[in-house]
Each structure stands twice: as C-alpha cells, then as structure tokens.
C-alpha cells in the first residue's frame, strides 16, 4: 500500500528537459532515452496506464527566440515541433524495449503521426499502449506543463507525476540554500504561495481548479511511484503541508 496516495490506474508522466540537463546537454542522448524507456516499461508492467507529455527544451524553447530574433509565435511553433522529434524518438525506443506505444500529435502531420484525440488516446491506453502526447497543445503561448495538466484532465488520469532533478518540492532551491527543506505533502495553494517552480503557474492553477493531484519526484524514480519507499512531494487539495523529516525516509 502506498503511503501517500492510492495506487493510480492511469498516470500522466510529465518529463521536462530541465530534469534531464543533468544527464546530457542539448540534443539527443541515446543512452538516456533507452534508460528512460526501460523505466516507463517497468511502470507500465505494474498495470498502470501511462500518458507521457514529452519535453522540447533539449532542442528549442521560446525563450531562445528573442536571442535569435525569431518572433514568439514562430518560436513556439519550433518548440512544439521539438516535442514531436523527442516523442518520435521515445516511441521508437519504447517499441525496441518491448513496450507498445503510440505518439499522437496535436499538430497535424499525417505522413508521420496520428492526430491526437481523446477517443484515440483512450483507445490506445485500453489496448495497453503508452500514449506519447506530442506537439504540446498545438497552440503558442502555452508550455508542455499546461499541456500535461490539460491532457491529464482530458484523459481522467488519477495523478500527474512530474519527474525532476530533485526528489520533491523544497521551500527554496536546495542547490543554493543549505537550510532548504522539502515537503512530503503540500496543498496547491501553498505551492502557489511559495512560487515553487515545479511547473509554470498557469499549469498549477489549472490543476488546482480541477482538483488534479500532482506528485513530484526524481526522474530516476518514476518507475517507483507505487513503492512505499518512494520519496517525493504529493500536491493535492486533500493534502496537508507536511515538511519532510529525514528520519521518516
Ligand atoms: N510550446 C508551445 N505550446 C505548447 C507546448 C509547448 O508553444 O502547448 C513551445 C514553447 O515554445 C516551449 C517549447 O514548446 O518553450 C518547449 O516546451 P517546454 O519549454 O515546456 O519544454 P520542456 O520544459 O518540457 O523541455
């Protein structure tokens, strides 16, 4: 029995490049993507249906647009296409490790990928496939975080798991502040109040408005989310603000 939240039936995994920077620099890294695919397979084997919203930042982020002299909307288009590239790579590697999967795109490109629809995603999940949502929301001025919350709500995921560099949410950056402390649980209101950067504020607000629970853990632990020993931070309206006590690990 999991100590913080009940075992989910359907999970949305949000994997951000921020969490992967530790593993590799810009571009693709075959070793990392194979390790990630194995973890996704491990999680799927626990009878959990998985939707993944993939990252784009290893290739392009809108913030680069100003430096490059590219307008925001076109920059966002490039960013969304970056998620498509990552999604195609991850889908293929998942198949190689024996995990059926399908990438569904919010941006039509019928020669390469199927178009995302709620119906098609549900059908693939019921068939035992991992669904990789690519192309973000298909709209500029959004991020893969907002996309992740929106997809989790649309597909009735029990929880959104965000894999990050650190093992949960701290009151301040633990890499910069020795006295930073971690929460085992917290309310979304507390996350907004602290201005924590687990996801952008629009995404947290959307999750809060719709009672979507979040779990933040190390990206390396995403296949252990059902283990009693999992370390992370659970964010839910029903949670309390509980600071982690090292002895309770
Ligand atoms: N993006 C967008 N609309 C979306 C999702 C993403 O315009 O619905 C663009 C945006 O430019 C963003 C880039 O795609 O900077 C890559 O997404 P993100 O920065 O969220 O990538 P990640 O942090 O997951 O690596």
């Amino acid at each position: 029995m999991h100590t913080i939240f009940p075992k989910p039936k359907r999970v949305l995994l949000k994997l951000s490049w921020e969490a992967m920077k530790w593993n590799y620099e810009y571009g693709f890294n075959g070793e990392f993507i194979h390790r990630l695919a194995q973890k996704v397979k491990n999680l799927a084997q626990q009878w959990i249906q998985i939707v993944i919203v993939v990252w784009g930042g290893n290739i392009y982020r809108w913030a680069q647009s100003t430096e490059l002299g590219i307008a925001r909307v076109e920059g966002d288009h490039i960013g969304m296409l970056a998620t498509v590239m990552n999604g195609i790579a991850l889908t293929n590697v998942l198949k190689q490790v024996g995990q059926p999967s399908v990438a569904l795109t919010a941006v039509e490109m019928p020669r390469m990928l199927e178009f995302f629809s709620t119906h098609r995603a549900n059908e693939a999940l019921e068939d035992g496939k991992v669904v990789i949502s690519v192309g973000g929301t298909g709209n500029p001025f959004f991020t893969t975080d907002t996309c992740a919350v929106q997809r989790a709500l649309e597909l009735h995921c029990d929880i959104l798991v965000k894999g990050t560099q650190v093992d949960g949410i701290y009151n301040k950056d633990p890499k910069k502040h020795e006295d930073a402390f971690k929460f085992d649980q917290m309310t979304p209101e507390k996350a907004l109040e602290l201005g924590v950067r687990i996801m952008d504020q629009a995404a947290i607000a959307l999750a809060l408005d719709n009672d979507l629970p979040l779990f933040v853990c190390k990206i390396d632990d995403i296949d252990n989310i059902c283990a009693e020993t999992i370390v992370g931070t659970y964010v839910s309206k029903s949670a309390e603000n509980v600071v982690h006590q090292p002895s309770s690990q």
Side-chain angles (χ1 to χ4, degrees):
M1 183 67 183
H2 195 280
T3 47
I4 307 179
F5 54 85
K7 183 179 170 187
K9 290 194 187 78
R10 187 175 282 187
V11 166
L12 188 133
L13 276 185
K14 167 65 176 76
L15 305 172
S16 172
W17 182 67
E18 284 296 323
M20 298 168 195
K21 277 205 267 199
W22 292 77
N23 296 278
Y24 68 99
E25 286 302 320
Y26 278 97
F28 291 97
N29 179 299
E31 194 254 317
F32 177 76
I33 210 163
H34 277 263
R35 194 151 43 93
L36 182 64
Q38 192 57 56
K39 285 184 184 293
V40 172
K41 181 183 177 185
N42 294 345
L43 186 61
Q45 285 180 335
Q46 296 165 42
W47 302 104
I48 294 177
Q49 295 179 344
I50 303 170
V51 184
I52 303 180
V53 169
V54 284
W55 62 100
N58 59 319
I59 300 169
Y60 198 87
R61 274 219 169 109
W62 71 268
Q64 292 167 251
S65 302
T66 319
E67 198 186 311
L68 295 170
I70 295 171
R72 170 73 193 254
V73 172
E74 283 73 11
D76 281 342
H77 288 168
I78 301 170
M80 286 185 266
L81 291 174
T83 71
V84 172
M85 290 191 233
N86 288 319
I88 291 174
L90 182 59
T91 310
N92 177 259
V93 176
L94 278 168
K95 284 179 185 155
Q96 289 181 43
V97 299
Q99 175 57 53
S101 63
V102 62
L104 302 176
T105 176
V107 180
E108 284 136 304
M109 44 182 77
R111 289 179 71 93
M112 283 189 226
L113 296 170
E114 286 180 68
F115 192 54
F116 181 95
S117 71
T118 318
H119 168 76
R120 181 67 191 101
N122 276 322
E123 189 181 65
L125 289 165
E126 296 301 339
D127 271 359
K129 290 184 182 150
V130 169
V131 167
I132 317 273
S133 165
V134 305
T137 59
N139 299 298
F141 297 98
F142 286 88
T143 63
T144 52
D145 281 345
T146 18
C147 175
V149 174
Q150 191 274 329
R151 292 281 185 247
L153 294 169
E154 176 178 13
L155 297 171
H156 300 287
C157 294
D158 301 305
I159 194 160
L160 186 158
V161 174
K162 170 126 184 183
T164 71
Q165 305 163 15
V166 283
D167 58 356
I169 302 176
Y170 286 74
N171 65 329
K172 49 191 171 182
D173 188 345
K175 293 198 165 62
K176 293 188 188 142
H177 304 273
E178 268 185 23
D179 61 342
F181 56 81
K182 185 174 88 70
F183 288 87
D184 280 341
Q185 306 182 27
M186 73 197 309
T187 60
E189 289 88 350
K190 186 75 181 171
L192 284 171
E193 179 198 315
L194 287 175
V196 290
R197 294 181 49 222
I198 33 157
M199 294 205 295
D200 60 63
Q201 303 269 303
I204 299 180
L206 187 61
L208 170 64
D209 279 353
N210 293 283
D211 279 349
L212 175 71
L214 314 174
F215 186 66
V216 180
C217 64
K218 272 196 169 169
I219 199 162
D220 282 339
D221 283 336
I222 54 164
D223 50 345
N224 283 326
I225 54 165
C226 294
E228 275 191 45
T229 49
I230 182 71
V231 176
T233 304
Y234 179 58
V235 186
S236 160
K237 263 191 177 164
S238 62
E240 289 168 33
N241 294 313
V242 179
V243 172
H244 181 69
Q245 302 300 328
S247 56
S248 69
Q249 270 193 16

